[in-house]
Amino acid sequence: MIRLLNVISSLNNAGTEKVVMNYLRNMDHSQIVQDFLVLDMGDGYYEEEIKQYGGQIYKIPSFMQAPIANLKARRKFFKEHRYDIVEVHSPAVNRYGYCKEAKKAGSIAIFHLHNTNLPKGLLGAYCLRQVRKYSDQIVSCSKKAAEVSLRGICDKVIPNAINFDDYKFDEQKREKIRAELDIEENIKVIGHVGRFSLEKNQIFLMRAFGKAAE
């Protein structure tokens, strides 16, 4: 039995979490058990489902919320818990510290980048060196993320996985939603699902929607 720890920002119904859950649902749970170290003290959307698969959930405050408490909690956690593999899910290269603690505890450390963010200047360069130093494998969600944030130092690109059945066209759902929103049949509807943040690129979407409406 392989025991894997996911280090993740939260367990909300959001992008990175959804990707990780898609992999979790499709793994052989008799061979791999996945636990979660969550950098958020609040309740998470996926907690009950993770427990159904046999996973444990641990929570510590994030570095942004409480830097000193975070450093103490993460060090204490890795002294008390042993994992075969620790996979650190991060929106940028500044979460290398968890790979460092995992390596000290004797685990295989995987750094999994989920965005194209890169801290600027000397900080970005320093964080990138630390990621390379303390990671056994560096994984990226896309070629662009590997090129921009990892400067090409990436062992594997693993595109974000989705279940196509969740997004295929369904005439009954179309009719139901249009009825709920009181949208007439001859009205064109273009939708977008995503929070208002820079990486969702709503400025581009507005331009695209404008072209589609012409």
Side-chain angles (χ1 to χ4, degrees):
M1 173 74 72
I2 296 173
R3 197 137 200 132
L4 182 149
L5 177 72
N6 292 284
V7 180
I8 195 165
S9 299
S10 70
L11 289 176
N12 297 326
N13 188 12
T16 298
E17 297 93 315
K18 203 169 188 69
V19 170
V20 175
M21 291 303 297
N22 282 335
Y23 286 122
L24 173 61
R25 292 173 185 133
N26 290 281
M27 285 187 173
D28 185 346
H29 301 114
S30 68
Q31 299 296 319
I32 301 176
V33 173
Q34 295 194 44
D35 291 348
F36 287 77
L37 177 61
V38 185
L39 312 181
D40 184 347
M41 301 304 292
D43 294 331
Y45 179 85
Y46 291 112
E47 289 190 19
E48 291 306 314
E49 184 177 358
I50 289 168
K51 292 174 183 177
Q52 290 174 9
Y53 293 126
Q56 300 292 320
I57 299 169
Y58 305 92
K59 298 178 182 181
I60 63 174
S62 72
F63 187 82
M64 293 294 291
Q65 293 170 333
I68 302 302
N70 171 271
L71 290 171
K72 289 180 178 179
R74 76 167 78 158
R75 288 168 182 165
K76 183 175 185 290
F77 178 87
F78 283 102
K79 285 180 180 178
E80 297 177 351
H81 300 83
R82 294 289 182 269
Y83 287 91
D84 302 296
I85 303 168
V86 175
E87 184 167 0
V88 179
H89 302 277
S90 183
V93 292
N94 55 357
R95 201 170 280 177
Y96 63 84
Y98 299 93
C99 290
K100 181 179 180 179
E101 295 298 332
K103 291 285 288 180
K104 285 166 59 177
S107 304
I108 295 172
I110 300 174
F111 185 84
H112 193 153
L113 184 70
H114 289 268
N115 209 323
T116 56
N117 291 339
L118 178 66
K120 295 180 179 180
L122 294 176
L123 177 61
Y126 174 80
C127 291
L128 190 52
R129 286 199 301 271
Q130 300 307 299
V131 167
R132 293 169 179 170
K133 181 177 180 180
Y134 294 114
S135 303
D136 293 294
Q137 282 236 329
I138 300 175
V139 178
S140 174
C141 65
S142 69
K143 290 181 179 179
K144 184 175 182 180
E147 293 167 358
V148 173
S149 297
L150 298 173
R151 297 292 189 259
I153 306 300
C154 179
D155 297 299
K156 187 173 294 186
V157 173
I158 302 178
N160 292 342
I162 64 171
N163 183 348
F164 289 124
D165 288 339
D166 291 341
Y167 300 93
K168 68 182 181 183
F169 179 74
D170 187 312
E171 182 66 37
Q172 291 183 335
K173 289 181 179 179
R174 176 184 183 274
E175 293 177 359
K176 180 175 179 291
I177 292 171
R178 291 178 79 96
E180 289 175 352
L181 299 176
D182 195 24
I183 300 173
E184 296 179 7
E185 185 63 30
N186 63 329
I187 300 297
K188 181 189 290 186
V189 178
I190 303 174
H192 163 60
V193 178
R195 69 182 184 275
F196 287 101
S197 58
L198 184 62
E199 63 266 26
K200 302 306 178 184
N201 205 359
Q202 275 94 5
I203 293 175
F204 171 80
L205 283 171
M206 293 302 291
R207 295 194 191 106
F209 287 179
K211 289 290 186 182
E214 290 179 355

